[in-house]
Amino acid sequence: MAEASRSATVGSRLERGQQLLIDGQWCEASDGARCDIINPASGQVLGHAAVAAEADTDRAIQAARRSFDAGAWTGLTPAQRGKVLWTIGDLMEQHLDEIAELESLDTGKSLDATRGGEVPFAADCFRYYAGWCTKIEGATKTLSTVPDQQFHIYTRREPVGVAALIVPWNGPLVQAAWKLAPALAAGCSCILKPAQQTPLSTTRLGELAVEAGVPDGVVNILLGSGSGAGATLAADYRVDKVSFTGSTRTGREILSAASGNLKKVTLELGGKSPVIVFADADLEAAIEGAAQAIFSNAGQVCVAGSRLLVAQSVYEQVVSGVVEIARALEPGTGGHCIGPLISAEHRDSVLAWIETGQGEGATLRTGGRAVEAGGGYFLEPTVFADVEPGMQIAREEIFGPVLAAMPFPDDAAPEEVAALANDSEYGLAASVWTQDISRAHRTVAAVRAGIVWINCHGIPDMAVPFGGYRQSGWGRENGMESLLQYTELKSVVARL
Ligand code: TAP
């Protein structure tokens, strides 16, 4: 797979290397440590990034703490803060092509997807939360316990303090925006840690935040490993809140590290999301939707529709339709291709799950093999049929383009179908495909998941809360709900 030609701007940025942002200054790691950044579509080294040492993480926490305690950000009026956030969005749009290219090189996503989707969406996220800065409000209350005296009682929403924002590699820019924008809108000082594999769009975002006028120490960026900088941020007593997106396993580690100072925790974790297709669905749309749900970003999506539950009478038609789409997907980073997995190691782990599925007796209908294309970490889109709910491939988050299909009886009630969908330790997302409005809403009500789409799958929006039931997480991203999770609520009782 030939690597797309690089723009001069991106080329020189990659040559310079990626640095840490601490207290408004860009710097190398104090011990000079660096790691390579690899293009997953070609296996080639794109450049290098600093790896924060313990001392750097300490300095970043100090800087965030100092800026928060000194009111460097909260001292601005809400309207001034809103303007800064809006400007970040505008700057992202001005540098759309460059950021899209960086994100595409770093993740293997197509330029169409990053230019047309991820970058504008991340920019809009800053604009959405820019509007919230002036709308963070308390309430007035009336006391009943002391009848003979007068009181003035009100609540205040205050920023939670220093927020550590830990982001995975599958959507580096959008996930950073989903955390940074509401945290800044709430008035927090932040330390953002992208995944070591994908720092490129995050460092560019940091530059734009500085250019937009975010004061020194309010946005810090630590590059480096989860077991190093990430674990320190989760455990440090000077950090008030950690917002994490990634695997359920790491989520548990963060929770336990955060218990030292009982910092507030938001976790957006894994999923095994069901796509439920009833016999009366628009099958053409459902087949297209089910394929999109599992093959987009090569299945490396927390809401990937990795379980396909289909009414028996249309099961074969739907599975064959998805298989046909899978077979037509070429490896590559073009608009109609299937992209690479993030690393050779991750591809090996997905291949191991495919082997498990075969060992468990599921029928491999298509795919299942690594694809050697231009040195990238490609894998054939894979469909398993005759999957039993107890099989590991029906239960574990594989995080690759691997679909587990199973039928349900046509006459099953919506609640019975939902019970199949709920047979999982996760509860992040689901989609329901039917033309019967009553069946759709009965199923939605019975499915235990944080977001359920009807006749579509995977459509996000800044205004729509997003997060998981059960082991898919704690808390919500997006909307007012996310903003409030970066605040504390103070009640004030004044005797007049
Ligand atoms: P995770 O380990 O969960 O990594 C996500 C982020 O957390 C990265 O920035 C990572 O840093 C950091 N991290 C890792 N260990 C940490 C710790 N002990 N304390 C604080 N931060 C820590 O994901 P992964 O290893 O890259 O992928 C493993 C599996 O997780 C995937 O196969 C997939 O199943 C799942 N996953 C799920 C999601 C979503 S959105 N649900 C996203 C990514 C991965 P470094 O990567 O720099 O070390």
Side-chain angles (χ1 to χ4, degrees), residues 166-170 175 193-196 224-227 230-231 244-247 249-250 253-254 269-270 302 346 397 399:
I166 302 178
V167 173
W169 43 259
N170 61 325
Q175 314 241 28
K193 196 206 87 65
Q196 197 161 13
S225 75
S227 55
F244 167 78
T245 298
S247 64
R249 176 185 48 77
T250 305
E253 283 173 27
I254 284 178
L269 307 177
C302 50
H346 184 51
E397 184 183 48
F399 224 61

Side-chain angles (χ1 to χ4, degrees), residues 92 99 103 107 109 114 117-126 129 163-184 190-195 198 201-203 205 221 242-247 266-271 296-297 299-304 342 397 399 428 460 462 466-468 472 476-478 482 486:
M92 290 176 80
I99 306 172
E103 191 76 333
T107 61
K109 290 173 199 256
T114 57
E118 316 241 336
V119 182
F121 188 37
D124 279 346
C125 177
F126 282 95
Y129 283 106
L165 314 173
I166 302 178
V167 173
W169 43 259
N170 61 325
L173 182 67
V174 168
Q175 314 241 28
W178 280 15
K179 296 185 190 305
L180 188 60
L184 288 176
C190 305
I191 305 153
L192 179 58
K193 196 206 87 65
T198 52
S201 57
T202 310
T203 49
L205 173 61
I221 296 178
V242 58
S243 175
F244 167 78
T245 298
S247 64
T266 300
L267 301 172
E268 203 267 274
L269 307 177
S296 121
N297 202 27
Q300 302 165 115
V301 180
C302 50
V303 296
I342 192 68
E397 184 183 48
F399 224 61
L428 189 56
M462 289 321 310
F466 180 89
S472 288
R476 292 292 179 268
E477 300 212 276
N478 300 344
S482 173
Y486 291 98

Side-chain angles (χ1 to χ4, degrees), residues 281-424:
D282 172 345
L283 292 186
E284 201 181 319
I287 290 167
E288 182 63 35
Q292 272 269 339
I294 186 61
F295 300 139
S296 121
N297 202 27
Q300 302 165 115
V301 180
C302 50
V303 296
S306 49
R307 285 186 295 150
L308 178 60
L309 310 179
V310 190
Q312 185 73 63
S313 63
V314 295
Y315 176 72
E316 186 46 43
Q317 188 181 345
V318 172
V319 172
S320 305
V322 175
V323 165
E324 200 178 314
I325 292 174
R327 289 190 178 141
L329 288 169
E330 295 285 332
T333 55
H336 298 290
C337 294
I338 181 143
L341 298 182
I342 192 68
S343 64
E345 190 192 20
H346 184 51
R347 183 172 65 175
D348 286 347
S349 110
V350 176
L351 283 166
W353 281 118
I354 292 171
E355 215 176 296
T356 302
Q358 288 174 293
E360 286 178 312
T363 306
L364 183 63
R365 291 284 296 265
T366 191
R369 288 171 308 184
V371 183
E372 294 315 321
Y377 311 123
F378 295 96
L379 179 75
E380 290 174 340
T382 300
V383 177
F384 278 108
D386 308 325
V387 176
E388 298 289 338
M391 291 179 182
Q392 287 187 77
I393 55 160
R395 312 198 73 78
E396 302 287 341
E397 184 183 48
I398 295 174
F399 224 61
V402 181
L403 181 64
M406 46 203 118
F408 62 81
D410 276 48
D411 60 358
E415 292 73 16
E416 290 171 315
V417 179
L420 285 176
N422 292 339
D423 185 13
S424 166

